[in-house]
Amino acid sequence: MSEHAHRRAQRRSRLRSSAAILAAAAAAAATLLAPSASARPAPAPAALAAAPDIPVANVKAHLAQLQSIATANGGNRAHGKTGYKASIDYVKAKLDAAGYTTTLQTFTYNSATGYNLIADWPGGDTSHVVMAGAHLDSVTGGPGINDNGSGSAGILETALAVSRAGLAPTKHLRFGWWGAEEYGMIGSTKYVNGLAAADRSKIEAYLNFDMIGSPNPGYFVYDDNTKLDTLFKTYFSGLGVATEPETEGDGRSDHAPFKNAGIAVGGLFSGADYIKTSAQATKWGGTSGVAFDRCYHSSCDTSANINDTALDRMTDAVAYAIWTLGTETAPPPGTVFENTTDVAIPDAGAAVTSSVTVSGITGNAPAALPVGVVIKHPYRGDLVIDLVAPDGSTYRLKSSSSDSGDDVNTTYTVNASSEVANGVWKLKVQDVGAQDVGNIDSWKLTF
C-alpha cells in the first residue's frame, strides 16, 4: 500500500484536489513493448464450472520466490531496483508458459524505468472485460511479502488456475501487476491514462488486491460498488466470516485511478498499520491493540509475515470473483436516457436536481439499474446523492464521507424493480459541507 498516500490519509484536514502524484504519471515517458504470447494454443471451449479451491501452498511458493528475489537484490523489490525487474520477469514467465498474452508496459518515474505487466487470457467478449490487479513493488526498506507480494501472488495463482481449468469465460479476463505503487499509484495511473475512452468503457470491473495475508488479519471489502461489494460479502458469508467496509486504504492503492476514471472497482484487504480493536479481535481472532500488520513497510515484511488462513481465504475469494464475473452472461446493449446540462451545486446549500424523462420502456425498471453520474466538485466527501423515481421514491446513491478526492465519476447500481420505468427520474445532489462549489456535469440511466 502506498506510503505517499498513507501519509496523506493520516492527515485529517480535508484536501481540495486530487493527488498531485497522478500528474507525474501523465508526464512519464511511455514505451509499449510488443506483446509476447506462449506458443501454447488457446484452450478449447470447456463446460463452465465452479471456482476452484486455490491451494495456499501454491500461493506461498510464489511468495518464497519473491522473498528469494528480494534477498538476492539488496533486500527489496522496489521501483527502479533490480529486485523489481526480477519480480516482473518471474511473473511474466509463469503467465507466458500458461498461455496468456502478456504485455510489458514501461514508464519513467524518479529517473528510473518502471514496469507494468498486463496478461490477457484468450477468448471472452472483449467488449466486456473483467480485470484483477495488484501492485508488485515493495518499499525500499523491505522485501514486501505481505505488501504486496500477497496480492500479486494471489492473482497470479488465480490466473494459473484459469489456465489449468481451460476456462472459456463469457467475458474477457485480464490481470495486471503494477509498478511504483509505493510512490503513489504511478504504474496503474499510467495504464489507465493510456487507455482510449472506448477501451476504458469496456472494463466492467476492476478488482484490486493489496495486502491479503496480514499476520493479524481483518477481512475488509471495498464498498465502492454495490455489485462487487455484495459479491465478496456473499462469499465470506458462506464461510461464516464477517466482513467490514474497507476504509484504511481508500484512495491509497491501485483501484483509485480506475475509480477516478469511472470504472467500477472492488477488492479485498486484510489491514495495514491501523490497530485491531477488541470488537474486531472477537470477530476475527488475533490480537487487539496491535496493528493488523506490525511489519507494514518494514524490513520484517518477510515470508514469516503472513497469516496462511487469511491468505487462503482471500485467494479463494479472488478466484470466486473471477469465475463468477467472468462466466456470467454479458448484458445486451441498453437504452440510455441522459441529461448533459450543467446544474450548479451551491456551497452548503439546498439540494438541486437534474431530470431525465424515460419513455418507450415496457414495465418496471430493472433490479440492477445503472445510474451513471459525473459531478465536478473539489471535495466529493461533502456530497449526498440520491436517485428519485417518478413516484417520488428516493434511493441513496452516496452519503457524505471523509473521502478526500475530487469529483464523482462512477456508475451506481440501484434495485428499482418496484418502480415503473417510464416517467421523470431525478438526480438529487446536496453539498452538506462548506468552502467549495461544484456542478452536476451529466448523468444517465441505462435500461
Side-chain angles (χ1 to χ4, degrees):
M1 181 176 292
S2 166
E3 175 66 27
H4 176 92
H6 172 63
R7 293 194 301 267
R8 181 183 63 192
Q10 293 289 73
R11 297 195 298 265
R12 298 305 181 190
S13 59
R14 296 171 9 170
L15 304 180
R16 298 301 178 188
S17 63
S18 7
I21 49 175
L22 301 184
T31 304
L32 267 181
L33 303 184
S36 63
S38 164
R40 175 177 171 175
L48 299 182
D53 180 13
I54 304 296
V56 71
N58 291 7
V59 184
K60 293 196 71 178
H62 299 311
L63 294 180
Q65 290 296 318
L66 295 177
Q67 176 68 69
S68 295
I69 288 170
T71 301
N73 290 275
N76 69 71
R77 301 179 303 98
H79 164 74
K81 307 297 184 180
T82 54
Y84 182 73
K85 182 56 165 62
S87 299
I88 278 283
D89 291 343
Y90 169 76
V91 174
K92 185 176 185 299
K94 292 288 186 182
L95 296 163
D96 287 341
Y100 281 81
T101 298
T102 60
T103 302
L104 197 63
Q105 184 181 44
T106 64
F107 57 91
T108 301
Y109 184 75
N110 277 358
S111 301
T113 301
Y115 302 91
N116 293 328
L117 178 64
I118 310 300
D120 286 273
W121 180 242
D125 184 350
T126 55
S127 64
H128 297 275
V129 177
V130 174
M131 186 172 189
H135 77 88
L136 188 55
D137 64 315
S138 73
V139 293
T140 57
I145 298 305
N146 186 37
D147 184 17
N148 182 37
S150 61
S152 292
I155 68 168
L156 172 58
E157 191 55 31
T158 299
L160 298 180
V162 167
S163 175
R164 288 193 297 269
L167 186 66
T170 53
K171 298 180 181 180
H172 186 72
L173 300 181
R174 181 176 298 157
F175 298 84
W177 288 262
W178 312 117
E181 187 269 358
E182 297 293 0
Y183 290 93
M185 296 79 74
I186 303 301
S188 55
T189 301
K190 159 67 182 175
Y191 174 77
V192 173
N193 287 352
L195 293 173
D199 291 327
R200 289 185 194 177
S201 69
K202 293 175 183 177
I203 302 177
E204 286 193 353
Y206 172 74
L207 307 176
N208 195 61
F209 303 98
D210 188 352
M211 303 178 65
I212 60 171
S214 300
N216 190 28
Y219 292 86
F220 299 99
V221 176
Y222 292 18
D223 61 350
D224 300 276
N225 177 273
T226 301
K227 176 181 177 179
L228 302 179
D229 177 42
T230 301
L231 179 72
F232 285 117
K233 288 195 294 189
T234 298
Y235 177 79
F236 283 106
S237 176
L239 298 181
V241 176
T243 62
E244 290 184 9
E246 194 286 309
T247 57
E248 182 180 359
D250 198 20
R252 292 170 52 187
S253 192
D254 294 298
H255 60 293
F258 288 86
K259 179 179 176 179
N260 291 339
I263 296 169
V265 299
L268 299 173
F269 176 60
S270 57
D273 60 346
Y274 280 22
I275 303 301
K276 178 177 279 189
T277 66
S278 58
Q280 290 170 328
T282 299
K283 181 187 304 181
W284 294 320
T287 307
S288 64
V290 176
F292 294 100
D293 183 356
R294 61 184 179 81
C295 290
Y296 174 66
H297 283 185
S298 299
S299 60
C300 59
D301 187 9
T302 65
S303 296
N305 191 47
I306 291 290
N307 181 286
D308 288 3
T309 299
L311 184 67
D312 190 17
R313 289 169 170 172
M314 291 284 199
T315 305
D316 286 342
V318 175
Y320 173 78
I322 292 297
W323 256 257
T324 301
L325 297 173
T327 61
E328 67 183 3
T329 302
T335 302
V336 176
F337 299 87
E338 185 172 20
N339 189 333
T340 60
T341 302
D342 287 356
V343 177
I345 304 169
D347 185 30
V352 296
T353 62
S354 175
S355 302
V356 297
T357 300
V358 175
S359 61
I361 304 297
T362 302
N364 284 11
L369 175 64
V371 186
V373 178
V374 180
I375 295 175
K376 303 299 183 183
H377 195 279
Y379 185 75
R380 60 176 174 247
D382 285 349
L383 300 179
V384 176
I385 307 174
D386 293 307
L387 176 69
V388 182
D391 68 354
S393 299
T394 300
Y395 298 85
R396 178 58 48 88
L397 304 180
K398 177 190 176 301
S399 299
S400 61
S401 68
S402 59
D403 184 355
S404 61
D406 61 349
D407 299 342
V408 174
N409 187 347
T410 193
T411 299
Y412 302 97
T413 302
V414 171
N415 183 353
S417 57
S418 63
E419 306 292 344
V420 175
N422 293 333
V424 178
W425 296 73
K426 297 178 181 179
L427 187 75
K428 183 170 73 173
V429 181
Q430 184 175 16
D431 181 347
V432 298
Q435 303 177 5
D436 42 38
V437 296
N439 66 276
I440 302 173
D441 184 77
S442 65
W443 73 286
K444 63 185 178 181
L445 298 172
T446 304
F447 288 83

